[in-house]
Amino acid sequence: MFIINCPYCGERDQTEFTCHGEAHIARPDNPSEISDEEWGRYLFFRENPKGTHFERWTHDHGCRRWFNVMRDTVTDQIIKTYKMGEAKPEISNE
Amino acid sequence: MKYSLYNLVKNSFSYHENWEKAWSSPDLKPEYDVVIVGGGGHGLGTAYYLAKEFGVKNIAVLEKGWIGGGNTGRNTTIIRSNYLWDESAALYNHAVNLWEGLSSELNFNVMFSQRGLFHLAHSVHDMQEITRRGYSNYLNGIDAEILNQDQVAKKIPHINVNGRYPVLGALLQRRAGTARHDAVAWGYARAAENLGVDIIQNCEVKGIDISNGKVVGLQTTKGSIKVDKVGLVPAGHSSVLANMAGFSLPINSVPLQALVSEPVKPILDCVIMSNSVHVYVSQSDKGELVVGAGSDAYNSYSQRGSFDMIEHMMAPLVELFPIFSRLKMLRSWGGIVDVTPDRSPIIGKTPVKDLFINCGWGTGGFKATPGSAHVFAETVFRGEPNDIAAPFSLERHFSGALVDEAAAAAVAH
Amino acid sequence: MSNQNRTIYGGKVNREKPINFVFNGKSYIGYQGDTLASALLANDVHLIGRSFKYHRARGILTAGSEEPNAIVQLGLGARTEPNIRATEVELYEGLEASSQNCWPSVNFDIGAMNNFLSRIFPAGFYYKTFKWPPSMWLFYEHFIRKAAGLGQSPTAKNPDRYEQKFYYTDITIVGGGISGLLAALGAGRSGCKVLLIDENPELGGYLLDYNFSINEKDGKKWLKKIIEELNGLANVTILKRTTAMGYYDYNYLTALEKVTNHHAEFSSTLPRERYWRIRSKKVILAQGAFERPLVFADNDRPGIMMASAGQKYLSRYGVLPGKSVVLFTNNDHAYLTAFEFVEKGAKVTVVDTRDLLNARISEKCKSLNITVFKSYSVIKTYGDKKVNRIEIQQVDKNQNKLTGEVENIHTDCVLMSGGWNPAVQLFSQSRGKLKYDLKINTFVPDKIIENQKIIGSNNGQFNLQENLNESFEAGIAAANELNFNSVEKVNWTGKEEIEFTHSDIEPYMLGKKKVTKGSKHFIDFQNDVTAADIFLAQREGYISVEHTKRYTTTGMGTDQGKTSNVNALALMSHIHNKPVDEIGHTTFRPPYAPQTIGAIAGRSVDKLFDPERKTSMHEWHVENKAVFEDVGQWKRPYYFPQNKEDIHQAVKRECLAVRNSLGILDASTLGKIDLQGPDTAKFLNMIYTNAWSKLEIGSCRYGLMCNEHGMIFDDGVTSRLGENHYHMTTTTGGAARVMSWLEEFLQTEWLDMKVFCTSVTEQWAVLSISGPNSREFLKDLTNIDLSKENFPFMKFREGEVCGVKARVFRISFTGELSYEVNVPARYGRYVWEKFMEHGKKYNITPYGTETMHVLRAEKGFIIVGQDTDGSVTPSDMNMDWIVSKKKEDFLGKRSFTRSDTVRHDRKKFVGLLVNDKKTILPEGSHIVEKALKQPPMKMLGHVTSSYYSPTLGYPIALAMLKDGFSKMGEQVVVPLMNGKIIEATVTDTIFYDKEGKKNNE
């Protein structure tokens, strides 16, 4: 049961949030011009890393805002939360 | 030594000191015809069928921990084949057919217990869904009975049919049931080893050697080996292995939890599933209630889930069975399930030649174990999926030919 | 004779307050302050239950939550509870309990013959047999199941209530023994918010039972003062009778408080248990340790218990469990118990596995007339339902063999002590790493992951003096780390007569027979796992700890191996001749102790299982006898039966009323989303498949939403209320999903679009009036000009209806002239009643969802989720007309051109008319290529909607059919499960008013 630091509301219990999968997957600008395979990759294929993961969450029982979370999928420790539109943080190798 | 009552009695005279190892721990050989990565039920079964039905001689199963230690040993042991789509029905029913003879075939009692499974319907929409699925099962030759409320109340003595979401009816599959999960891994391991398969535990694959687009070797924690063909059956780590081979998968790995209650004398004689109230429960031979429900929505490899999922299992359980309220939760645990967009598995070829994959079983892999292993063995052997496996190719994510069991059941109006 | 084992003086039970209780049908008397276990021992009841597999006689092993043997069925009827540890049950007046897993009685148990057959039932025997013939497994299994299980489940609904509490605190301390208390004091004096949890009714832990001194004065008095000070600190909350169950990520603890379990009367105001969900900035674990059993032949007989348990029964409850006592030990500290027993009148013999003995102990033993057998081991025990004799023999440790004469000791109680294991369950749950400590020979905490401290014997520190100061300082330090001020350190001098010392771990004791040859050296008492079983598992290759555990079931009982795990691992280490560290250990899983399911469910039961959503007209529907249907969380009227109508009669009447005059539907449950902002039209263009740029203010348009897979996922009418203001409707069940869908794209994809979405579902009550008389009817009640010219089909107007400000949409889901009147929710019932009153002259008829479904099916309007299922495209539904060809992009568009989506033989939406004009096809039945006598039959599609049409006088159906558009007029067959084959003709989907004139009237 994580504590998530909502960029708008501060630290709240995980039960107030929902996870929506990998972040930073931009919808293609030109869907009609890309191949079935490229479109399929956009829709379905995910990094699913064992380690640092960038993902989208919503604060459903709060501000209802979407934001991004950088989290380690092995330890489940949240490294950072940040607003939509902000740049993807670097993965440190420490 | 053959397992039988006769031998059990005979060995009791020697205080059971003469039983042989169910499987041994051979050293890794430098070269194999086929290597199966992942020593769960699916992987061990694949090796078994490759040896038995396709006469492959030089096979190894590599397991990074202990065999059966992944989802094979962490599930709620439910077996059924009453799926909606023809493609799924064929695959899972192939499995149930194999389950029925598995204890004999492996000479290991996997305790497949066909005590019947009830899918409960709680609304008009649910009734439409189970009727549609029941008819589809019936016409596919899979046993299905559609029951009304009275029939459900009669067949399941302690169920509460008048709760917040009343039970209006159920879809019953009598051939469905449960099995002893660990025994499946152990039974396949023992039988496979008898056919010459090397079962290597504590051997983690760290790299996949590819030359000219073809798999040629594996780097493991016990050394590197040459291979002709590789079958990846690494539930919980499918993406990790795919990444080693240079491709990605339409998979998210998420935590799934389950729990058991303290053991009590027989009180529930069948398997209950409710998609709307959202819980499934059966009673094990030991007497424990085995309870499961939904998975967490976030990716994780920690084998831990969040506690609110447990709460969301207990409330529905008490809703359906108020008599269980005073029983005690004994143990809960988590596993990693690899979930695909359409909740159907991926079986078949990969972008790398002679590297095959069998993954993405999500929350439903255990029931498919023998069927999955069987069709995958053929896929690996022939280099092409057979008719049952073909619809589950990776390619369907590009063509759009999803086998979407979830879509058919979940939409409310 | 009652309480025959009670000492003349001593103990803390209140001898002025006798308590009557019943065990196995027989009445006994105990005292206030007893546990069920202590009261039974006081009354010389030692046989408590039967073991799981071999049905061996079992007594009381421990005095706490680690008890594997003494588990009973507690209470009667709906309040009965199985598998309750007698060692934890506080005695209350009228308590009734009985033995488990025995028949006909615990004294004469038929199942005990398993013990004689046990030779053919080693670990895992069931994997090796019962395989043939396969059809017989259910038969064999029936008997296996009956033999398994422990107690009985209640068979009636639980009458008790459970409550839950969220709690936030600076520091949570688990364990109210000396370490926990002093940590709480340190932190408490520092001023931070402290929660102290202890599972017992009394604080003090292990020191309550032993004599010790602080600063050379009586330690018990000092302990009392410490507790008094804690009770007086306002910032310290103490929870007794509360077990910390789960330790989850980010210092999230769950705990179960027994609130009225120990009360004789059932409370109508208090819950039975309270479930705590605790979030702490810091956790201090001070759970103490469990004493480790010794593993010798027949070490499971009633009368054999842990030395610390014997100590507790004697000193706390004034119960002498035996008069002729053997202490079997491998460590010094257990001698304290021997001394205590002698003092209370027992004759004590000590069997010590060691050859050297501390001189002070030797002397005291001499002075107390205690015979000590050094380098001896208990090799066998005797006694049918209670131990009455043991055999001991000298052990040559170097040669690992027994030497010398076998000596007999007659005894009625064996106390054993094999050392101590820290209770690392919660620590391990918190991902803390363990290491094997070679000094005390057990697993101790190594690496801490959470923001946590672990102290005292829980951390492997058994020395009193060290614990006193370290624990207090740990409390101060924890507060310090949370930025609370330091308080002064205190220096206490604590002393026990005998200090804890090193103890060996002995995987098993040599017996008369080889451990693998028949004699039962129990490791896991509850699950009947013997040392021989562990040997067998290793022999057969189940070598990983997890394999051993699963194959033998060791550690899988209701005690979760609290007394057995470390011994099992030590034995494995012995067999493989490897250090225990290399053997490893299994993962501890929550909960720490069995945890009431009803308490986890809390108040989410019955009506509160899931909230019911009701419209503002709901009570009117109830008063008018509506039958309800659950749609998501909503309660919707399904139909309104009059007199004794069944559903068919009611629906027929309701349908005809709409077609011929006037019907009214409560459509308030439809999802409603208010969209505002300059980019709304642009946004709708992306969300819906059709075009929205040209929708005029005051106009309504039907729209279809697809997901990015190109599959239909919702539909509804959206109206333009103003320049930048739209009102969207969704399906009832899809409202939240659509809202989230819109937000997802606005917040993550198109951040530059200026659109705001607000859910207004609950803000509006929607009265949908439909039928040829609806205009006539409504015109008297509104100031809106309803004329065809001013207010045509698919338009929206604002005005007053029944004096209430209203939004009226001229849209129709029945195909008749219809108005959807939206009024603020609080006026819903008022307007509804006005409508009913005014509508009398048109025979206004309330109708439910079933009639709505029939009427729309007659018109071929789809219901998303019934006719579609998440795998169909607009094209499949013959709805290409609503898919814009001009728009470059919208959600789902790209997926329409994938190879599978353009396949011509996809299932398509068609109508079906049965040839006999009578049979109503079941919704969900399938069309097959060819009807055969037996399945399998190849399926071509399925019936999605099917009704008797009162308007037409015959049944109609909608279906998905492979390549259906090219099969118009063709014959198809639908086989039913009862063997009947129904023939039908494929038609288009519109059965009534094909030209669509009616709703344009």
Side-chain angles (χ1 to χ4, degrees), chain C residues 184-364:
Chain C
L185 194 66
R189 282 184 185 171
S190 309
C192 63
K193 189 176 171 186
V194 176
L195 179 69
L196 175 67
I197 299 175
D198 190 78
E199 63 179 350
N200 299 297
E202 197 179 349
L203 297 174
Y206 137 92
L207 285 185
L208 290 174
D209 308 326
Y210 289 83
N211 292 319
F212 66 103
S213 66
I214 298 291
N215 300 341
E216 295 179 358
K217 285 185 196 143
D218 180 4
K220 297 245 161 84
K221 281 187 188 148
W222 170 84
L223 185 63
K224 213 173 145 198
K225 268 171 59 189
I226 297 285
I227 294 169
E228 270 166 19
E229 182 181 346
L230 279 173
N231 280 329
L233 288 174
N235 53 329
V236 176
T237 304
I238 299 174
L239 286 178
K240 291 192 277 191
R241 300 188 174 88
T242 304
T243 308
M245 292 291 188
Y247 196 141
Y248 301 87
D249 295 339
Y250 294 73
N251 271 347
Y252 187 81
L253 286 169
T254 59
L256 191 60
E257 179 189 7
K258 292 173 184 165
V259 182
T260 59
N261 301 44
H262 54 296
H263 292 187
E265 306 290 326
F266 295 105
S267 170
S268 57
T269 49
L270 287 171
R272 181 171 171 81
E273 291 169 3
R274 187 177 290 125
Y275 189 66
W276 290 68
R277 296 183 278 200
I278 305 154
R279 190 75 87 167
S280 325
K281 291 180 184 143
K282 199 173 274 289
V283 172
I284 299 178
L285 295 176
Q287 290 185 284
F290 296 120
E291 198 171 17
R292 193 156 68 208
L294 290 165
V295 182
F296 50 96
D298 299 320
N299 56 342
D300 66 326
R301 290 187 202 280
I304 303 176
M305 64 172 64
M306 305 311 307
S308 57
Q311 174 82 24
K312 185 165 173 178
Y313 288 118
L314 186 54
S315 65
R316 185 146 0 159
Y317 305 106
V319 173
L320 196 60
K323 302 204 167 46
S324 203
V325 178
V326 172
L327 171 70
F328 184 23
T329 181
N330 68 355
N331 60 74
D332 285 354
H333 191 262
Y335 278 84
L336 282 175
T337 301
F339 304 158
E340 185 89 19
F341 268 68
V342 171
E343 193 182 309
K344 294 283 158 58
K347 176 178 173 292
V348 178
T349 310
V350 176
V351 179
D352 196 320
T353 63
R354 302 167 301 169
D355 53 359
L356 281 173
L357 195 56
N358 165 327
R360 213 156 44 79
I361 294 176
S362 272
E363 257 166 51
K364 177 137 186 184

Side-chain angles (χ1 to χ4, degrees), chain B residues 33-266:
Chain B
D33 293 342
V34 178
V35 169
I36 302 298
V37 180
H42 293 238
L44 292 161
T46 304
Y48 168 76
Y49 292 116
L50 273 169
K52 178 170 177 266
E53 302 209 350
F54 302 102
V56 180
K57 291 276 181 275
N58 190 21
I59 308 172
V61 177
L62 308 186
E63 167 54 49
K64 80 180 162 88
W66 37 284
I67 60 166
N71 293 344
T72 301
R74 293 169 191 270
N75 63 83
T76 51
T77 81
I78 295 168
I79 292 162
R80 64 183 180 92
S81 62
N82 55 358
Y83 281 72
L84 174 68
W85 304 112
D86 294 351
E87 296 86 350
S88 318
L91 178 59
Y92 290 98
N93 209 43
H94 182 53
V96 168
N97 290 338
L98 290 169
W99 274 114
E100 286 176 336
L102 200 60
S103 292
S104 292
E105 159 127 26
L106 300 180
N107 182 235
F108 200 104
N109 191 354
V110 300
M111 302 181 211
F112 178 38
S113 174
Q114 293 176 293
R115 43 191 59 256
L117 179 144
F118 295 77
H119 267 109
L120 303 181
H122 298 271
S123 64
V124 175
H125 178 262
D126 280 0
M127 284 303 288
Q128 289 163 343
E129 190 273 321
I130 64 163
T131 309
R132 177 180 172 196
R133 191 146 52 89
Y135 263 98
S136 169
N137 296 156
Y138 164 71
L139 293 166
N140 268 323
I142 295 168
D143 74 303
E145 288 167 56
I146 296 160
L147 309 178
N148 62 28
Q149 186 180 59
D150 289 345
Q151 291 168 310
V152 172
K154 213 172 264 173
K155 284 187 198 302
I156 311 169
H158 300 290
I159 197 164
N160 172 25
V161 294
N162 294 311
R164 164 69 181 85
Y165 293 106
V167 179
L168 301 185
L171 176 63
L172 165 62
Q173 187 184 17
R174 288 182 194 267
R175 280 175 75 214
T178 57
R180 175 82 185 101
H181 54 7
D182 293 325
V184 179
W186 301 341
Y188 271 123
R190 176 168 164 269
E193 204 202 48
N194 280 340
L195 296 171
V197 174
D198 282 358
I199 294 162
I200 319 277
Q201 300 188 81
N202 302 311
C203 180
E204 185 174 355
V205 171
K206 293 297 216 184
I208 298 174
D209 301 334
I210 297 162
S211 172
N212 295 325
K214 181 195 180 314
V215 66
V216 293
L218 294 172
Q219 305 294 327
T220 81
T221 50
K222 293 195 173 186
S224 43
I225 46 177
K226 285 185 184 167
V227 290
D228 190 31
K229 287 179 174 181
V230 173
L232 301 177
V233 201
H237 282 80
S238 310
S239 297
V240 175
L241 279 148
N243 284 342
M244 278 182 209
F247 60 97
S248 63
L249 290 171
I251 277 182
N252 283 300
S253 299
V254 301
L256 178 71
Q257 296 176 86
L259 61 91
V260 293
S261 76
E262 289 188 342
V264 288
K265 292 289 175 194

Side-chain angles (χ1 to χ4, degrees), chain C residues 101-137:
Chain C
N101 208 32
C102 52
W103 185 86
S105 78
V106 70
N107 273 304
F108 180 76
D109 175 26
I110 296 282
M113 71 182 179
N114 282 2
N115 192 32
F116 297 102
L117 294 172
S118 63
R119 201 155 157 187
I120 57 169
F121 297 148
F125 73 97
Y126 30 76
Y127 299 122
K128 297 190 173 99
T129 182
F130 304 128
K131 302 180 302 300
W132 196 89
S135 58
M136 285 293 280
W137 170 242

Side-chain angles (χ1 to χ4, degrees), chain A residues 4-8 20-25 53-58 65-71 78-89, chain C residues 747-748 751:
Chain A
I4 298 174
N5 188 9
C6 169
Y8 303 94
H20 299 273
E22 193 175 329
H24 302 292
I25 299 175
H53 189 230
F54 300 90
E55 58 202 16
R56 307 183 303 168
W57 289 74
T58 49
R65 299 294 293 268
W66 290 65
F67 60 93
N68 289 329
V69 173
M70 178 188 190
R71 185 175 55 88
I78 293 170
I79 302 157
K80 192 177 175 182
T81 60
Y82 54 103
K83 293 177 184 175
M84 283 292 160
E86 288 180 19
K88 186 172 175 173
Chain C
Q747 292 193 38
T748 72
L751 273 66

Side-chain angles (χ1 to χ4, degrees), chain B residues 16-17 113 115 311 329, chain C residues 119 141 277 516 539 595:
Chain B
H16 303 284
E17 288 194 339
S113 174
R115 43 191 59 256
E311 295 177 316
M329 158 177 154
Chain C
R119 201 155 157 187
E141 194 185 29
R277 296 183 278 200
T516 52
R539 189 177 307 126
Q595 178 174 1

Side-chain angles (χ1 to χ4, degrees), chain C residues 903-974:
Chain C
R903 203 160 38 83
H904 73 88
D905 65 341
R906 287 176 67 89
K907 288 193 201 175
K908 303 286 181 184
F909 192 50
V910 297
L912 287 184
L913 287 174
V914 290
N915 293 357
D916 69 4
K917 296 260 169 185
K918 276 197 324 232
T919 309
I920 301 169
L921 294 165
E923 285 169 350
S925 59
H926 281 61
I927 302 154
V928 296
E929 193 174 62
K930 202 173 160 200
L932 307 172
K933 278 221 164 91
Q934 291 280 331
M937 294 176 232
K938 191 169 179 222
M939 288 169 266
L940 299 177
H942 68 281
V943 176
T944 61
S945 296
S946 176
Y947 313 92
Y948 172 77
S949 162
T951 317
L952 303 171
Y954 51 81
I956 56 169
L958 300 168
M960 297 300 293
L961 176 63
K962 263 189 188 168
D963 198 17
F965 301 155
S966 63
K967 290 185 178 160
M968 288 300 141
E970 287 183 18
Q971 296 294 301
V972 293
V973 283
V974 178

